[in-house]
Amino acid sequence: PFPVDSAGILVPDRLLPDLVFRHLGAPTRILFLLGLLAATLSSVDSALPTLASAIELDLLSERLRSKMPVRRIHLGVAVAILACIFLLYSTRASALILIVLKYSGYVMGPLLGLFALGILTRIRIRDRRVPAIAIASIALTAVADWTSAALPGGYRIGVEIIVWNALFFVVLTALFGRSEEKRPAPVSPS
């Protein structure tokens, strides 16, 4: 029998662990755990220094960087990652990837909108307004997400939240972030 929840619905996240730990022998269980551990440590090993460096170089002032040892920044990032893991675990979500995709849509939506404007249009944008427009598009997306359950038919915004966020960013930029100058047309090679 496959792993199911209380409503009798298959739980995909428990399928492989159930197979390994209930139906296969001890050597397979040990290899499974070692592979899982190796993959996890490999990911953390590359993500932790990358995040710590990004925070150190992009977010901290030079004065603060000179006072704070790199070890402390790495420790802070590790604690933040651990807190995120515990927070996600506390949600008891059956599909953790859906949560990650949904909340990354909040962050990546304005970037996708900015990319679309740069690739698909010749609009010049007032650079100083971009952060405020990005925050406003995230706020509008959050309101749309929270109120989407009240829509007819019970539609709830899911992982497509990144598209909504990008659209809000594009519309807000078109309304409030345009520069008066036009971007020059690309020169075609002759």
Side-chain angles (χ1 to χ4, degrees):
F2 293 117
V4 293
D5 62 9
S6 59
I9 298 173
L10 178 69
V11 181
D13 288 347
R14 290 195 216 144
L15 192 59
L16 184 61
D18 185 67
L19 174 72
V20 170
F21 289 104
R22 289 190 184 195
H23 304 291
L24 300 176
T28 306
R29 282 183 237 150
I30 292 169
L31 288 174
F32 178 77
L33 287 175
L34 287 174
L36 192 62
L37 183 64
T40 303
L41 291 178
S42 172
S43 297
V44 170
D45 182 48
S46 60
L48 188 60
T50 303
L51 284 171
S53 296
I55 288 170
E56 178 185 5
L57 298 174
D58 297 339
L59 299 180
L60 298 180
S61 68
E62 198 169 319
R63 187 176 59 92
L64 192 57
R65 270 196 311 245
S66 65
K67 291 181 179 180
M68 188 178 296
V70 175
R71 253 188 214 160
R72 185 174 289 170
I73 296 170
H74 279 257
L75 180 64
V77 170
V79 168
I81 289 173
L82 192 61
C84 288
I85 290 169
F86 283 131
L87 179 69
L88 288 172
Y89 181 74
S90 70
T91 63
R92 304 272 185 217
S94 61
L96 190 58
I97 189 68
L98 294 178
I99 292 174
V100 171
L101 288 173
K102 184 167 185 177
Y103 289 110
S104 65
Y106 278 104
V107 177
M108 301 305 285
L111 290 173
L112 180 62
L114 194 59
F115 178 76
L117 282 171
I119 294 292
L120 301 175
T121 71
R122 291 180 38 202
I123 295 174
R124 280 203 179 240
I125 300 170
R126 293 185 187 169
D127 294 342
R128 292 180 181 256
R129 293 189 180 179
V130 169
I133 291 171
I135 290 169
S137 74
I138 291 170
L140 281 172
T141 304
V143 169
D145 183 26
W146 294 328
T147 58
S148 68
L151 292 173
Y155 171 76
R156 290 277 308 168
I157 296 177
V159 295
E160 74 276 7
I161 201 162
I162 190 170
V163 176
W164 287 103
N165 199 347
L167 286 173
F168 284 137
F169 182 85
V170 168
V171 169
L172 288 173
T173 302
L175 292 174
F176 304 111
R178 291 179 110 176
S179 177
E180 299 305 318
E181 306 172 18
K182 291 285 185 194
R183 196 164 75 180
V187 178
S188 61
S190 320

PDB file of all heavy atoms in Angstrom, residues 15 39 83 121 125 135 165 175 181:
ATOM      1  N   LEU A  15       6.514   8.785  -0.621  1.00  0.00           N
ATOM      2  CA  LEU A  15       6.555   7.573  -1.437  1.00  0.00           C
ATOM      3  C   LEU A  15       7.935   6.906  -1.413  1.00  0.00           C
ATOM      4  O   LEU A  15       8.048   5.714  -1.102  1.00  0.00           O
ATOM      5  CB  LEU A  15       6.135   7.900  -2.872  1.00  0.00           C
ATOM      6  CG  LEU A  15       5.855   6.721  -3.786  1.00  0.00           C
ATOM      7  CD1 LEU A  15       4.745   5.855  -3.220  1.00  0.00           C
ATOM      8  CD2 LEU A  15       5.462   7.211  -5.164  1.00  0.00           C
ATOM      9  N   ALA A  39      24.071  14.672  -0.604  1.00  0.00           N
ATOM     10  CA  ALA A  39      23.432  15.684  -1.448  1.00  0.00           C
ATOM     11  C   ALA A  39      23.109  16.938  -0.644  1.00  0.00           C
ATOM     12  O   ALA A  39      23.312  18.063  -1.109  1.00  0.00           O
ATOM     13  CB  ALA A  39      22.165  15.118  -2.079  1.00  0.00           C
ATOM     14  N   ALA A  83      16.757  28.679  10.959  1.00  0.00           N
ATOM     15  CA  ALA A  83      15.455  29.222  11.351  1.00  0.00           C
ATOM     16  C   ALA A  83      14.427  29.035  10.236  1.00  0.00           C
ATOM     17  O   ALA A  83      13.276  28.680  10.496  1.00  0.00           O
ATOM     18  CB  ALA A  83      15.593  30.701  11.708  1.00  0.00           C
ATOM     19  N   THR A 121      10.572  45.642 -24.456  1.00  0.00           N
ATOM     20  CA  THR A 121      10.178  47.025 -24.738  1.00  0.00           C
ATOM     21  C   THR A 121      11.412  47.908 -24.874  1.00  0.00           C
ATOM     22  O   THR A 121      12.523  47.483 -24.594  1.00  0.00           O
ATOM     23  CB  THR A 121       9.288  47.603 -23.614  1.00  0.00           C
ATOM     24  OG1 THR A 121      10.091  47.823 -22.456  1.00  0.00           O
ATOM     25  CG2 THR A 121       8.130  46.691 -23.288  1.00  0.00           C
ATOM     26  N   ILE A 125      13.495  53.325 -17.720  1.00  0.00           N
ATOM     27  CA  ILE A 125      12.924  53.299 -16.374  1.00  0.00           C
ATOM     28  C   ILE A 125      13.726  54.224 -15.473  1.00  0.00           C
ATOM     29  O   ILE A 125      14.950  54.298 -15.575  1.00  0.00           O
ATOM     30  CB  ILE A 125      12.963  51.864 -15.814  1.00  0.00           C
ATOM     31  CG1 ILE A 125      12.158  50.934 -16.711  1.00  0.00           C
ATOM     32  CG2 ILE A 125      12.434  51.810 -14.395  1.00  0.00           C
ATOM     33  CD1 ILE A 125      12.332  49.480 -16.371  1.00  0.00           C
ATOM     34  N   ILE A 135       8.537  46.850  -4.259  1.00  0.00           N
ATOM     35  CA  ILE A 135       7.858  46.633  -2.972  1.00  0.00           C
ATOM     36  C   ILE A 135       6.345  46.746  -3.152  1.00  0.00           C
ATOM     37  O   ILE A 135       5.578  45.943  -2.603  1.00  0.00           O
ATOM     38  CB  ILE A 135       8.393  47.621  -1.916  1.00  0.00           C
ATOM     39  CG1 ILE A 135       9.837  47.247  -1.560  1.00  0.00           C
ATOM     40  CG2 ILE A 135       7.511  47.632  -0.677  1.00  0.00           C
ATOM     41  CD1 ILE A 135      10.571  48.285  -0.741  1.00  0.00           C
ATOM     42  N   ASN A 165       2.975  38.701  -9.929  1.00  0.00           N
ATOM     43  CA  ASN A 165       3.904  39.684  -9.386  1.00  0.00           C
ATOM     44  C   ASN A 165       4.618  40.430 -10.515  1.00  0.00           C
ATOM     45  O   ASN A 165       4.755  41.656 -10.472  1.00  0.00           O
ATOM     46  CB  ASN A 165       4.909  38.974  -8.477  1.00  0.00           C
ATOM     47  CG  ASN A 165       5.604  39.903  -7.522  1.00  0.00           C
ATOM     48  OD1 ASN A 165       5.542  41.111  -7.650  1.00  0.00           O
ATOM     49  ND2 ASN A 165       6.289  39.331  -6.565  1.00  0.00           N
ATOM     50  N   LEU A 175       3.126  52.837 -15.346  1.00  0.00           N
ATOM     51  CA  LEU A 175       2.369  53.979 -14.828  1.00  0.00           C
ATOM     52  C   LEU A 175       3.244  55.000 -14.110  1.00  0.00           C
ATOM     53  O   LEU A 175       3.054  56.208 -14.267  1.00  0.00           O
ATOM     54  CB  LEU A 175       1.278  53.499 -13.868  1.00  0.00           C
ATOM     55  CG  LEU A 175       0.138  52.695 -14.491  1.00  0.00           C
ATOM     56  CD1 LEU A 175      -0.790  52.173 -13.411  1.00  0.00           C
ATOM     57  CD2 LEU A 175      -0.633  53.558 -15.481  1.00  0.00           C
ATOM     58  N   GLU A 181      12.886  59.890 -21.464  1.00  0.00           N
ATOM     59  CA  GLU A 181      13.745  59.552 -22.601  1.00  0.00           C
ATOM     60  C   GLU A 181      13.344  58.210 -23.186  1.00  0.00           C
ATOM     61  O   GLU A 181      12.880  57.337 -22.479  1.00  0.00           O
ATOM     62  CB  GLU A 181      15.203  59.433 -22.150  1.00  0.00           C
ATOM     63  CG  GLU A 181      15.737  60.614 -21.425  1.00  0.00           C
ATOM     64  CD  GLU A 181      17.110  60.315 -20.850  1.00  0.00           C
ATOM     65  OE1 GLU A 181      17.763  59.348 -21.285  1.00  0.00           O
ATOM     66  OE2 GLU A 181      17.531  61.048 -19.945  1.00  0.00           O
TER      67      GLU A 181
END
